[in-house]
Amino acid sequence: MTAEIFPKVKTIDLRKKHIGPSCKVFFSHDPIKIVRAKGQYMYDENGVRYLDCINNVAHVGHSHPMVVKAGAEQMELLNTNSRFLHDNLVQYAQRLQATLPEKLSVCYFVNSGSEANDLALRLAWEYTGHKDVITLDNAYHGHVSSLINISPYKFHQLANAEQSKSVHVALSPDLYRGNYRQDHPDPATAYADDVNNLIQKAHEKGHKVAAFIAESLQSCGGQVIPPAGYFQKVAQHVHRAGGLFIADEVQVGFGRVGTHFWAFQLQGEDFVPDIVTMGKPIGNGHPMSCVVTTREVAEAFKNSGMEYFNTFGGNPVSCAIGLAVLDVIEKEDLQGNALRVGGYLTRLLEQQKEKHPLVGDIRGRGLFVGAELVRDRVKLTPATAEAQDIIYKLKEQHILLSADGPHRNVLKFKPPMCFSEEDADMVVEKIDQILTVSETTSFFLLSIIQNTCSVMSL
Amino acid sequence: MTAEIFPKVKTIDLRKKHIGPSCKVFFSHDPIKIVRAKGQYMYDENGVRYLDCINNVAHVGHSHPMVVKAGAEQMELLNTNSRFLHDNLVQYAQRLQATLPEKLSVCYFVNSGSEANDLALRLAWEYTGHKDVITLDNAYHGHVSSLINISPYKFHQLANAEQSKSVHVALSPDLYRGNYRQDHPDPATAYADDVNNLIQKAHEKGHKVAAFIAESLQSCGGQVIPPAGYFQKVAQHVHRAGGLFIADEVQVGFGRVGTHFWAFQLQGEDFVPDIVTMGKPIGNGHPMSCVVTTREVAEAFKNSGMEYFNTFGGNPVSCAIGLAVLDVIEKEDLQGNALRVGGYLTRLLEQQKEKHPLVGDIRGRGLFVGAELVRDRVKLTPATAEAQDIIYKLKEQHILLSADGPHRNVLKFKPPMCFSEEDADMVVEKIDQILTVSETTSFFLLSIIQNTCSVMSL
Ligand SMILES: Cc1ncc(COP(=O)(O)O)c(C=O)c1O
Ligand SMILES: Cc1ncc(COP(=O)(O)O)c(C=O)c1O
């Protein structure tokens, strides 16, 4: 067990003094201090155990011994930049490539999802010679300035948001709350046509489209699962305009969706993006990321004449860790586990939907699951405060869950991939209890209010 | 000893197949494969030892056991994001702060020098509400798109370079090759006036300046040491225009300059930048970086309403490693060593300048030293090919050195900080030999040519 260095109040005090105030903590009313973690559990300074339903970065489980060992051994031996030849780099690139369609064969190693997406844009700009980017509504693609520009999730937060003229925001292909819903005969075509309209409008203004970028499944945007066939149709439109298709797999890659290793593969075998970006789970928490593209795009980027150098990207320690993560996913069949446990979790949540009117929609693939809460199942009024309330009540019961989406009303499950059916039972049971109690309480509250009103109107 | 996974030809082959062709290797004619490293030495697959004069990232020495131990122990315990409270984060921020002037008190932890500089720009844009940036000629500040824009070192490489209208390139304050030289009565004022001129020109076009950014000593730009007082004067001009001063310490921070912990402190105690960015040596190779600024700038950024979240930035493993690096610098007095050995190295190189006409200028602070090679000491004709030749010949003798600057004619010393006087003796002795031989050979060659000519003119 680790001793704390500071008592919690002191930690909070120092954080206020020395850490940028834009960097938020979870549970701002009463943040938690975590001192160790293992598998799908995190422990606070008093040894209290939390079930972790949110940390998709700790993909193969917190502090997995095989990953720790690989990192420690390589650190002891050598950690240097990729201007020296090293076997870890090329072996890792080869292993990653083997999980992807053949034409995605050229890798660039970087340190974060943001670096990956920024490089993806640079590749697209250079390959196409075009400038404009089409992004989905509510998308988040990273924190560097070029990505804030294409992240409505972020730039909508700005008081004086000024959308870049070369960025076009397409409809989020959300079948629950979006423009075209489950009852639409062909939502894939309808949403793709919206992208095509944006392309045409850009052309009318003399602009040209370099890329369409989307998460293969929208995460922060509200756990949105686009209809199958949508990406193929978008890719057709974008390619016709001379642009590239960038699939952001930073949150959803590496087997999380259960049936496939990459979430874009859910769209069908006939769909291959031009660029794929990876991050978060790739190193189980170690800062690393990757961009994979085709030979053609890579050669065009090279022909610009500019070298690409990333000080830390692709160092032997990062690659050793990346290799270990791939090994563990295979050895422990974590993709299979995501499929089984994710399916189980989704079924349990579906039962909650039948039982509790607040639960409007359950959608998921593997261990990527969203439960959208609404006050009214017809008007779809977002149950934002209720979602917050549930999150805080779960925390009191030592379960970590979060709410996201444009209305912050989607409960978001994205646990470490070793999550078990018992864990699923536990979290859904607690949600059931909270919803049950709150329904009776609201009923009670409602009756109080009604009674008071009738007294007052006397 | 580590076994190789692949024979070297296979490593090269796989690299060609799977790694972006824009990512260059050192010694492209015959790249080296490094399999382990310790202190200031690197070892290839055959156990051949190279003296490392170039890897400033391995600041406290390659694979330093205290740093490795700190990283491994923390990886075993917990690696998670900074939305949870953790003592490593706040303790590390407190320790870093203690090395800086008091008003630089708020930290943002990120993963690379590029992420740090991009965030510095975002802070400046938000704080000032202005847009333009002044950068130095030949500067390099990172690989993300916003930084390519302000890196003449990079955008000059582009065939069809198009300089952003909101970026202004100031004269590099180079006393050897720049507009104002050692013989100028007041180069600090002259170079600062150039910045002021750019500000005035921007104003005339209705633009407003958000920031001036410069490395405290220019590295890739050619190991340039600005005259003392220059930063103070620039800061006056920039502040008067409502802009901020960003000091990029990614290459030169953490005691390398010997007399001070930060290179901007060479300018005098009366100079404090508004934002300092750090990287490379901060984690001895582990991907991490930091931006430090004032409370005022941090609060303005927060008031934009946008949260700042960086998935890996400030995780407990990175902070444990950062703390260990600070510990080792202190415990082994590496700043003192940089001062002593750097001074010794500089004196040895000065002797070479007296001996060999090719050595035009020696400039250095601590273990940041440049030796500029010229064919003609009056015209300063860059000896680019000669610099390349020396680098390759040193490599044959198992010494790693590089050449940089706009003409790639500056031999650049920036070794791990445990570099010794014996190491300095060794590299300078080899350089002496190479120069001596090449002088006689050129003389020989010259006579051959002359002889041939006289024969031919018969
Ligand atoms: C979809 C997506 N892309 C990119 C990023 C940026 O990743 P990073 O924080 O590692 O820069 C994130 C981070 O949350 C993300 O969710
Ligand atoms: C002065 C300076 N700033 C920033 C950077 C970018 O750092 P990174 O490669 O870690 O993104 C570099 C890298 O060489 C640098 O030399």
Side-chain angles (χ1 to χ4, degrees), chain A residues 11 15 82 87 112 115 118 145, chain B residues 11 82 87 112 115 118 145:
Chain A
T11 311
R15 184 160 171 137
S82 64
D87 287 339
S112 67
E115 286 196 352
D118 182 87
S145 45
Chain B
T11 310
S82 64
D87 287 339
S112 68
E115 286 196 352
D118 182 86
S145 46

Side-chain angles (χ1 to χ4, degrees), chain A residues 59-78:
Chain A
H59 194 62
V60 300
H62 289 279
S63 299
H64 194 290
M66 273 178 69
V67 178
V68 172
K69 185 162 176 276
E73 285 182 359
Q74 186 58 53
M75 278 201 288
E76 229 175 286
L77 217 51
L78 174 68

Side-chain angles (χ1 to χ4, degrees), chain A residues 22-90:
Chain A
S22 312
C23 306
K24 300 284 190 251
V25 288
F26 281 125
F27 310 111
S28 51
H29 301 324
D30 178 25
I32 46 180
K33 184 169 180 175
I34 295 293
V35 298
R36 65 188 183 92
K38 205 84 204 169
Q40 65 273 48
Y41 304 105
M42 302 184 95
Y43 300 83
D44 74 9
E45 76 282 16
N46 301 312
V48 173
R49 189 182 92 169
Y50 289 82
L51 174 63
D52 180 1
C53 305
I54 54 177
N55 283 298
N56 57 345
V57 173
H59 194 62
V60 300
H62 289 279
S63 299
H64 194 290
M66 273 178 69
V67 178
V68 172
K69 185 162 176 276
E73 285 182 359
Q74 186 58 53
M75 278 201 288
E76 229 175 286
L77 217 51
L78 174 68
N79 191 10
T80 195
N81 68 63
S82 64
R83 279 176 174 155
F84 298 100
L85 296 176
H86 199 282
D87 287 339
N88 287 4
L89 176 72
V90 297

Side-chain angles (χ1 to χ4, degrees), chain B residues 121 125 131-137 139 141 150 152 163 166-171 191-192 194-203 208-214 230 234 237-238 241 244-246:
Chain B
L121 293 181
W125 286 324
K131 208 174 139 193
D132 286 22
V133 178
I134 300 178
T135 187
L136 293 183
D137 203 9
H141 294 294
I150 61 164
Q163 197 182 312
S166 53
V167 174
H168 313 280
V169 179
L171 293 172
Y191 281 118
D194 174 61
V195 173
N196 197 31
N197 282 341
L198 290 177
I199 295 175
Q200 300 321 320
K201 276 190 201 148
H203 286 179
K208 285 179 169 173
V209 173
F212 170 86
I213 182 168
Y230 169 64
V234 169
H237 297 311
V238 172
L244 297 181
F245 192 114
I246 303 170

